[in-house]
Amino acid sequence: MTYGDYMTGSDLILSVAPTAPERVREDVSLPVTPETIAAQVADCADVGATTASVYGWTAEGSQTPAGLPDVAAAIRERTTDVLVEYAVGPECQLGDYLDVLDSRPRPDLAQLRITPTQYGRRGATRRTRKDVDSFLEVLQDRNIKPNLLIQSGRDIQELYRLIEADMITDPLVTLRLGAREGAVATPLT
């Protein structure tokens, strides 16, 4: 599937997420520099990936939303055949996330954890429904497609709430099964 297929409405999306904060802590060989992340994304685009969910990193290997524009720029230098999705960990403050959305290049997609408060091994986030609703509105105002992250039943309830309140139409949803804080993956799911 190509970027053009995605833009014309093909139902299949192959996404790559070269790094995630919990994985980098466990495996220091994963890419964290913009150049190494971009190289992996370009390699994946060559075999059909259409979206890249990326995190920003400091030189020391700590996650930071401020690093997202550098990662996106490096990806755009290597390939224009993927949609770039910004992602942040649940501990990221929404204000910090919003700050990078106006940087260039702008992302095509932005991951949105829609559960107001999340509990997990890293503790609880202090995100309210009002925060989530405001962030969703900001993304749509900036023509950045929100990718709603669904990891549990409570996330599905929040998705229904957003749809019923006419806050989102034609949602892009990622179902993450088997995540440490998420729903259990089974052969049926």
Side-chain angles (χ1 to χ4, degrees):
M1 180 171 151
T2 66
Y3 175 82
D5 294 336
Y6 170 79
M7 294 306 291
T8 59
S10 176
D11 290 338
L12 178 67
I13 297 172
L14 178 59
S15 184
V16 59
T19 56
E22 62 273 6
R23 299 292 177 247
V24 168
R25 290 183 202 109
E26 297 167 0
D27 185 352
V28 295
S29 68
L30 292 173
V32 294
T33 66
E35 295 76 21
T36 57
I37 293 170
Q40 281 203 353
V41 169
D43 289 346
C44 292
D46 289 343
V47 295
T50 54
T51 65
S53 181
V54 296
Y55 292 82
W57 301 92
T58 65
E60 296 78 33
S62 298
Q63 191 220 350
T64 176
L68 286 165
D70 292 337
V71 172
I75 291 170
R76 289 289 176 244
E77 286 176 16
R78 287 187 161 251
T79 183
T80 57
D81 287 337
V82 295
L83 296 170
V84 175
E85 175 187 30
Y86 284 1
V88 295
E91 65 279 354
C92 179
Q93 298 298 314
L94 289 178
D96 295 338
Y97 198 12
L98 286 172
D99 288 344
V100 301
L101 293 177
D102 290 324
S103 301
R104 299 283 182 230
R106 291 177 84 179
D108 303 294
L109 307 165
Q111 186 182 88
L112 176 57
R113 296 168 184 264
I114 61 174
T115 301
T117 301
Q118 298 187 6
Y119 300 94
R121 65 182 174 85
R122 291 181 293 245
T125 61
R126 302 290 180 230
R127 195 169 294 164
T128 66
R129 271 193 176 146
K130 183 178 178 182
D131 293 335
V132 171
D133 296 352
S134 296
F135 187 64
L136 181 61
E137 185 178 329
V138 166
L139 289 175
Q140 293 177 125
D141 287 347
R142 287 177 167 85
N143 291 319
I144 298 171
K145 180 82 171 176
N147 182 2
L148 308 176
L149 182 61
I150 305 294
Q151 297 185 118
S152 68
R154 67 181 175 253
D155 295 340
I156 293 170
Q157 294 302 316
E158 285 300 305
L159 174 61
Y160 285 133
R161 180 186 68 82
L162 294 170
I163 292 170
E164 288 175 357
D166 288 327
M167 295 185 69
I168 190 164
T169 56
D170 192 28
L172 174 61
V173 175
T174 294
L175 297 174
R176 183 181 292 167
L177 300 176
R180 288 186 177 161
E181 294 88 26
V184 176
T186 70
L188 297 175
T189 60

